Short mmCIF file of all heavy atoms in Angstrom, two decimals:
data_model
loop_
_atom_site.label_atom_id
_atom_site.label_comp_id
_atom_site.label_asym_id
_atom_site.label_seq_id
_atom_site.Cartn_x
_atom_site.Cartn_y
_atom_site.Cartn_z
N HIS A 5 0.84 -1.20 -0.01
CA HIS A 5 -0.01 0.01 0.02
C HIS A 5 0.86 1.24 0.01
O HIS A 5 0.62 2.20 -0.74
CB HIS A 5 -0.93 0.02 1.20
CG HIS A 5 -1.75 1.22 1.34
ND1 HIS A 5 -2.79 1.51 0.44
CD2 HIS A 5 -1.72 2.23 2.21
CE1 HIS A 5 -3.35 2.65 0.77
NE2 HIS A 5 -2.72 3.12 1.85
N SER A 6 1.94 1.29 0.84
CA SER A 6 2.73 2.49 0.93
C SER A 6 3.53 2.75 -0.33
O SER A 6 3.81 3.87 -0.68
CB SER A 6 3.69 2.40 2.19
OG SER A 6 4.54 1.31 2.03
N GLN A 7 3.90 1.65 -1.06
CA GLN A 7 4.62 1.89 -2.33
C GLN A 7 3.66 2.55 -3.36
O GLN A 7 4.07 3.43 -4.08
CB GLN A 7 5.10 0.56 -2.87
CG GLN A 7 6.39 0.03 -2.19
CD GLN A 7 6.76 -1.32 -2.72
OE1 GLN A 7 5.90 -2.18 -2.97
NE2 GLN A 7 8.03 -1.56 -2.82
N LEU A 8 2.41 2.09 -3.40
CA LEU A 8 1.44 2.73 -4.29
C LEU A 8 1.20 4.15 -3.86
O LEU A 8 1.13 5.06 -4.68
CB LEU A 8 0.15 1.92 -4.29
CG LEU A 8 0.18 0.57 -4.93
CD1 LEU A 8 -1.13 -0.13 -4.73
CD2 LEU A 8 0.47 0.68 -6.42
N ALA A 9 1.06 4.37 -2.60
CA ALA A 9 0.82 5.75 -2.09
C ALA A 9 1.97 6.69 -2.45
O ALA A 9 1.82 7.82 -2.79
CB ALA A 9 0.63 5.77 -0.59
N SER A 10 3.19 6.13 -2.39
CA SER A 10 4.38 7.02 -2.67
C SER A 10 4.46 7.38 -4.11
O SER A 10 5.15 8.29 -4.49
CB SER A 10 5.63 6.32 -2.17
OG SER A 10 5.87 5.18 -2.96
N ALA A 11 3.75 6.65 -5.00
CA ALA A 11 3.76 6.95 -6.43
C ALA A 11 2.59 7.86 -6.85
O ALA A 11 2.60 8.35 -7.95
CB ALA A 11 3.70 5.69 -7.26
N ALA A 12 1.62 8.08 -5.95
CA ALA A 12 0.42 8.82 -6.29
C ALA A 12 0.69 10.31 -6.23
O ALA A 12 1.52 10.79 -5.47
CB ALA A 12 -0.71 8.47 -5.34
N ALA A 13 -0.04 11.02 -7.09
CA ALA A 13 0.11 12.52 -7.09
C ALA A 13 -0.65 13.16 -5.94
O ALA A 13 -0.30 14.19 -5.45
CB ALA A 13 -0.41 13.09 -8.43
N PHE A 14 -1.71 12.50 -5.50
CA PHE A 14 -2.54 12.99 -4.44
C PHE A 14 -2.53 11.91 -3.27
O PHE A 14 -2.66 10.75 -3.53
CB PHE A 14 -3.98 13.23 -4.87
CG PHE A 14 -4.09 14.24 -5.96
CD1 PHE A 14 -4.23 13.84 -7.27
CD2 PHE A 14 -4.04 15.60 -5.68
CE1 PHE A 14 -4.31 14.79 -8.28
CE2 PHE A 14 -4.13 16.56 -6.70
CZ PHE A 14 -4.24 16.11 -8.02
N LEU A 15 -2.44 12.43 -2.05
CA LEU A 15 -2.34 11.48 -0.93
C LEU A 15 -3.47 11.78 0.05
O LEU A 15 -3.82 12.93 0.25
CB LEU A 15 -1.05 11.65 -0.20
CG LEU A 15 0.24 11.39 -1.04
CD1 LEU A 15 1.48 11.60 -0.15
CD2 LEU A 15 0.26 10.02 -1.57
N THR A 16 -3.98 10.72 0.67
CA THR A 16 -4.97 10.89 1.73
C THR A 16 -4.23 11.40 2.97
O THR A 16 -3.02 11.38 2.98
CB THR A 16 -5.64 9.57 2.05
OG1 THR A 16 -4.64 8.65 2.52
CG2 THR A 16 -6.34 8.93 0.84
N VAL A 17 -4.98 11.76 3.99
CA VAL A 17 -4.37 12.18 5.23
C VAL A 17 -3.48 11.11 5.77
O VAL A 17 -2.30 11.38 6.23
CB VAL A 17 -5.45 12.55 6.28
CG1 VAL A 17 -4.83 12.84 7.60
CG2 VAL A 17 -6.25 13.77 5.83
N LYS A 18 -3.93 9.86 5.74
CA LYS A 18 -3.14 8.74 6.29
C LYS A 18 -1.83 8.58 5.51
O LYS A 18 -0.71 8.46 6.11
CB LYS A 18 -3.95 7.48 6.18
CG LYS A 18 -3.28 6.22 6.69
CD LYS A 18 -4.17 5.00 6.64
CE LYS A 18 -3.49 3.74 7.08
NZ LYS A 18 -2.48 3.27 6.17
N ASP A 19 -1.94 8.67 4.18
CA ASP A 19 -0.72 8.49 3.35
C ASP A 19 0.19 9.70 3.45
O ASP A 19 1.45 9.54 3.44
CB ASP A 19 -1.06 8.21 1.89
CG ASP A 19 -1.75 6.83 1.72
OD1 ASP A 19 -1.41 5.92 2.50
OD2 ASP A 19 -2.55 6.66 0.79
N ALA A 20 -0.38 10.89 3.52
CA ALA A 20 0.46 12.08 3.66
C ALA A 20 1.20 12.08 4.98
O ALA A 20 2.35 12.44 5.06
CB ALA A 20 -0.41 13.38 3.54
N ALA A 21 0.48 11.64 6.06
CA ALA A 21 1.13 11.52 7.33
C ALA A 21 2.30 10.54 7.32
O ALA A 21 3.37 10.87 7.86
CB ALA A 21 0.10 11.13 8.38
N GLU A 22 2.09 9.42 6.69
CA GLU A 22 3.18 8.40 6.54
C GLU A 22 4.32 8.98 5.76
O GLU A 22 5.47 8.85 6.06
CB GLU A 22 2.64 7.18 5.87
CG GLU A 22 3.58 5.98 5.79
CD GLU A 22 2.98 4.78 5.17
OE1 GLU A 22 1.84 4.44 5.51
OE2 GLU A 22 3.66 4.17 4.28
N TYR A 23 4.02 9.69 4.69
CA TYR A 23 5.06 10.32 3.82
C TYR A 23 5.87 11.32 4.57
O TYR A 23 7.09 11.46 4.43
CB TYR A 23 4.31 11.00 2.64
CG TYR A 23 5.24 11.57 1.60
CD1 TYR A 23 5.94 10.81 0.71
CD2 TYR A 23 5.36 12.96 1.46
CE1 TYR A 23 6.77 11.34 -0.22
CE2 TYR A 23 6.15 13.54 0.48
CZ TYR A 23 6.87 12.70 -0.39
OH TYR A 23 7.66 13.24 -1.33
N LEU A 24 5.22 12.08 5.48
CA LEU A 24 5.93 13.13 6.27
C LEU A 24 6.47 12.60 7.56
O LEU A 24 7.21 13.33 8.26
CB LEU A 24 4.97 14.26 6.59
CG LEU A 24 4.45 15.06 5.40
CD1 LEU A 24 3.32 16.03 5.83
CD2 LEU A 24 5.54 15.82 4.72
N GLY A 25 6.14 11.39 7.94
CA GLY A 25 6.63 10.84 9.21
C GLY A 25 5.88 11.41 10.38
O GLY A 25 6.44 11.57 11.47
N LEU A 26 4.61 11.78 10.20
CA LEU A 26 3.79 12.35 11.25
C LEU A 26 2.56 11.44 11.47
O LEU A 26 2.32 10.51 10.74
CB LEU A 26 3.29 13.72 10.78
CG LEU A 26 4.32 14.77 10.49
CD1 LEU A 26 3.74 16.03 9.83
CD2 LEU A 26 5.04 15.19 11.79
N SER A 27 1.82 11.77 12.50
CA SER A 27 0.53 11.06 12.71
C SER A 27 -0.62 11.74 11.93
O SER A 27 -0.53 12.96 11.77
CB SER A 27 0.18 10.99 14.21
OG SER A 27 -0.24 12.22 14.67
N PRO A 28 -1.60 10.99 11.51
CA PRO A 28 -2.77 11.61 10.86
C PRO A 28 -3.38 12.66 11.80
O PRO A 28 -3.83 13.68 11.29
CB PRO A 28 -3.73 10.49 10.60
CG PRO A 28 -2.77 9.25 10.52
CD PRO A 28 -1.68 9.50 11.42
N HIS A 29 -3.39 12.36 13.07
CA HIS A 29 -3.97 13.36 13.99
C HIS A 29 -3.28 14.71 13.95
O HIS A 29 -3.96 15.73 13.97
CB HIS A 29 -3.88 12.76 15.44
CG HIS A 29 -4.38 13.74 16.47
ND1 HIS A 29 -5.73 14.01 16.66
CD2 HIS A 29 -3.72 14.51 17.38
CE1 HIS A 29 -5.84 14.89 17.64
NE2 HIS A 29 -4.69 15.24 18.06
N THR A 30 -1.94 14.69 13.84
CA THR A 30 -1.17 15.97 13.70
C THR A 30 -1.64 16.70 12.50
O THR A 30 -1.89 17.95 12.54
CB THR A 30 0.30 15.64 13.63
OG1 THR A 30 0.70 15.03 14.83
CG2 THR A 30 1.16 16.95 13.39
N LEU A 31 -1.82 16.01 11.36
CA LEU A 31 -2.26 16.72 10.11
C LEU A 31 -3.68 17.25 10.30
O LEU A 31 -3.95 18.35 9.83
CB LEU A 31 -2.19 15.77 8.90
CG LEU A 31 -0.78 15.45 8.38
CD1 LEU A 31 -0.86 14.53 7.19
CD2 LEU A 31 -0.03 16.73 8.04
N TYR A 32 -4.55 16.53 10.95
CA TYR A 32 -5.91 17.04 11.21
C TYR A 32 -5.90 18.30 12.05
O TYR A 32 -6.60 19.23 11.79
CB TYR A 32 -6.82 15.95 11.82
CG TYR A 32 -7.33 14.96 10.80
CD1 TYR A 32 -7.01 13.61 10.90
CD2 TYR A 32 -8.20 15.37 9.79
CE1 TYR A 32 -7.58 12.70 10.02
CE2 TYR A 32 -8.73 14.48 8.85
CZ TYR A 32 -8.38 13.14 8.96
OH TYR A 32 -8.89 12.25 8.06
N VAL A 33 -5.08 18.28 13.08
CA VAL A 33 -4.96 19.41 14.00
C VAL A 33 -4.43 20.65 13.22
O VAL A 33 -4.93 21.77 13.31
CB VAL A 33 -4.11 19.11 15.23
CG1 VAL A 33 -3.78 20.38 16.01
CG2 VAL A 33 -4.80 18.08 16.11
N TRP A 34 -3.34 20.41 12.46
CA TRP A 34 -2.76 21.49 11.68
C TRP A 34 -3.76 22.07 10.67
O TRP A 34 -3.85 23.26 10.47
CB TRP A 34 -1.50 21.02 10.89
CG TRP A 34 -0.32 20.90 11.76
CD1 TRP A 34 -0.17 21.23 13.02
CD2 TRP A 34 0.93 20.35 11.32
NE1 TRP A 34 1.12 20.94 13.44
CE2 TRP A 34 1.83 20.39 12.41
CE3 TRP A 34 1.41 19.80 10.13
CZ2 TRP A 34 3.15 19.98 12.40
CZ3 TRP A 34 2.74 19.39 10.09
CH2 TRP A 34 3.59 19.46 11.17
N ARG A 35 -4.51 21.17 10.01
CA ARG A 35 -5.52 21.62 9.06
C ARG A 35 -6.56 22.49 9.76
O ARG A 35 -6.95 23.54 9.26
CB ARG A 35 -6.17 20.42 8.38
CG ARG A 35 -7.24 20.81 7.35
CD ARG A 35 -7.79 19.58 6.62
NE ARG A 35 -9.03 19.84 6.00
CZ ARG A 35 -9.22 20.48 4.83
NH1 ARG A 35 -8.17 20.88 4.18
NH2 ARG A 35 -10.40 20.64 4.37
N HIS A 36 -6.99 22.06 10.91
CA HIS A 36 -8.01 22.81 11.70
C HIS A 36 -7.47 24.19 12.02
O HIS A 36 -8.18 25.17 12.06
CB HIS A 36 -8.37 22.04 12.94
CG HIS A 36 -9.36 22.74 13.81
ND1 HIS A 36 -10.69 22.92 13.42
CD2 HIS A 36 -9.26 23.36 15.01
CE1 HIS A 36 -11.31 23.58 14.35
NE2 HIS A 36 -10.48 23.83 15.34
N ARG A 37 -6.15 24.23 12.38
CA ARG A 37 -5.52 25.55 12.73
C ARG A 37 -4.97 26.35 11.56
O ARG A 37 -4.30 27.34 11.71
CB ARG A 37 -4.34 25.29 13.71
CG ARG A 37 -4.74 24.70 15.03
CD ARG A 37 -3.54 24.45 15.89
NE ARG A 37 -3.87 23.89 17.14
CZ ARG A 37 -2.99 23.32 17.96
NH1 ARG A 37 -1.73 23.27 17.62
NH2 ARG A 37 -3.38 22.82 19.14
N ARG A 38 -5.20 25.81 10.36
CA ARG A 38 -4.70 26.40 9.11
C ARG A 38 -3.15 26.46 9.15
O ARG A 38 -2.53 27.48 8.75
CB ARG A 38 -5.30 27.76 8.85
CG ARG A 38 -6.77 27.66 8.47
CD ARG A 38 -7.46 29.01 8.38
NE ARG A 38 -8.73 28.99 7.72
CZ ARG A 38 -9.81 28.32 8.12
NH1 ARG A 38 -9.78 27.57 9.24
NH2 ARG A 38 -10.94 28.43 7.46
N GLN A 39 -2.55 25.41 9.59
CA GLN A 39 -1.10 25.27 9.62
C GLN A 39 -0.69 24.09 8.76
O GLN A 39 -1.53 23.37 8.22
CB GLN A 39 -0.61 25.00 11.04
CG GLN A 39 -0.87 26.11 12.05
CD GLN A 39 -0.49 25.71 13.44
OE1 GLN A 39 -0.61 24.56 13.86
NE2 GLN A 39 -0.03 26.64 14.20
N GLY A 40 0.59 23.87 8.64
CA GLY A 40 1.08 22.71 7.94
C GLY A 40 0.98 22.80 6.46
O GLY A 40 0.63 23.88 5.92
N PRO A 41 1.16 21.67 5.76
CA PRO A 41 1.10 21.69 4.25
C PRO A 41 -0.31 21.93 3.81
O PRO A 41 -1.28 21.60 4.53
CB PRO A 41 1.57 20.33 3.91
CG PRO A 41 1.36 19.47 5.10
CD PRO A 41 1.50 20.37 6.29
N PRO A 42 -0.49 22.59 2.61
CA PRO A 42 -1.82 22.86 2.11
C PRO A 42 -2.58 21.56 1.78
O PRO A 42 -2.00 20.62 1.22
CB PRO A 42 -1.56 23.66 0.83
CG PRO A 42 -0.13 23.43 0.49
CD PRO A 42 0.58 23.04 1.77
N SER A 43 -3.87 21.56 2.10
CA SER A 43 -4.75 20.43 1.78
C SER A 43 -6.02 20.92 1.22
O SER A 43 -6.32 22.12 1.21
CB SER A 43 -5.00 19.64 3.07
OG SER A 43 -5.65 20.46 4.04
N PHE A 44 -6.83 20.00 0.68
CA PHE A 44 -8.10 20.40 0.08
C PHE A 44 -9.03 19.21 0.11
O PHE A 44 -8.58 18.06 0.36
CB PHE A 44 -7.88 20.87 -1.36
CG PHE A 44 -7.29 19.82 -2.27
CD1 PHE A 44 -8.11 19.06 -3.07
CD2 PHE A 44 -5.94 19.54 -2.28
CE1 PHE A 44 -7.60 18.06 -3.90
CE2 PHE A 44 -5.38 18.62 -3.10
CZ PHE A 44 -6.21 17.84 -3.91
N ARG A 45 -10.30 19.42 -0.12
CA ARG A 45 -11.26 18.36 -0.17
C ARG A 45 -11.48 17.96 -1.61
O ARG A 45 -11.62 18.83 -2.48
CB ARG A 45 -12.56 18.75 0.48
CG ARG A 45 -12.46 18.94 1.98
CD ARG A 45 -13.80 19.04 2.67
NE ARG A 45 -13.66 19.14 4.11
CZ ARG A 45 -13.51 18.09 4.91
NH1 ARG A 45 -13.51 16.88 4.40
NH2 ARG A 45 -13.38 18.29 6.20
N MET A 46 -11.59 16.63 -1.88
CA MET A 46 -11.76 16.18 -3.27
C MET A 46 -12.78 15.08 -3.25
O MET A 46 -12.85 14.23 -2.38
CB MET A 46 -10.39 15.64 -3.75
CG MET A 46 -10.41 15.20 -5.24
SD MET A 46 -8.74 14.97 -5.94
CE MET A 46 -8.23 13.46 -5.23
N GLY A 47 -13.57 15.08 -4.34
CA GLY A 47 -14.56 14.06 -4.52
C GLY A 47 -15.91 14.32 -3.85
O GLY A 47 -16.04 15.22 -3.09
N PRO A 48 -16.87 13.51 -4.21
CA PRO A 48 -18.20 13.73 -3.68
C PRO A 48 -18.34 13.56 -2.13
O PRO A 48 -19.16 14.22 -1.49
CB PRO A 48 -19.05 12.58 -4.35
CG PRO A 48 -18.07 11.64 -4.86
CD PRO A 48 -16.79 12.31 -5.09
N ARG A 49 -17.41 12.79 -1.55
CA ARG A 49 -17.50 12.63 -0.06
C ARG A 49 -16.58 13.63 0.60
O ARG A 49 -16.49 13.65 1.83
CB ARG A 49 -17.09 11.23 0.27
CG ARG A 49 -18.13 10.20 -0.28
CD ARG A 49 -17.64 8.77 -0.15
NE ARG A 49 -17.63 8.35 1.26
CZ ARG A 49 -17.08 7.22 1.69
NH1 ARG A 49 -16.47 6.44 0.81
NH2 ARG A 49 -17.10 6.92 2.96
#
């Protein structure tokens, strides 16, 4: 799974956290505080 994620142009929170060596919780907190790397919502869900 992580090899496929590392080849993707877009990463989920879980995969981005793994890529950065952080926890998904950290990325959620940063997003809420408008900190950290830029993120966006994609898709119908």
Side-chain angles (χ1 to χ4, degrees):
H5 177 68
S6 61
Q7 284 175 321
L8 289 174
S10 66
F14 300 99
L15 301 179
T16 63
V17 172
K18 180 176 178 291
D19 290 332
E22 186 178 315
Y23 184 72
L24 296 170
L26 300 168
S27 73
H29 177 74
T30 298
L31 286 182
Y32 279 119
V33 170
W34 283 355
R35 180 175 160 81
H36 180 70
R37 294 179 180 167
R38 291 174 165 62
Q39 297 174 325
S43 59
F44 61 96
R45 292 193 177 276
M46 183 164 76
R49 296 170 72 191

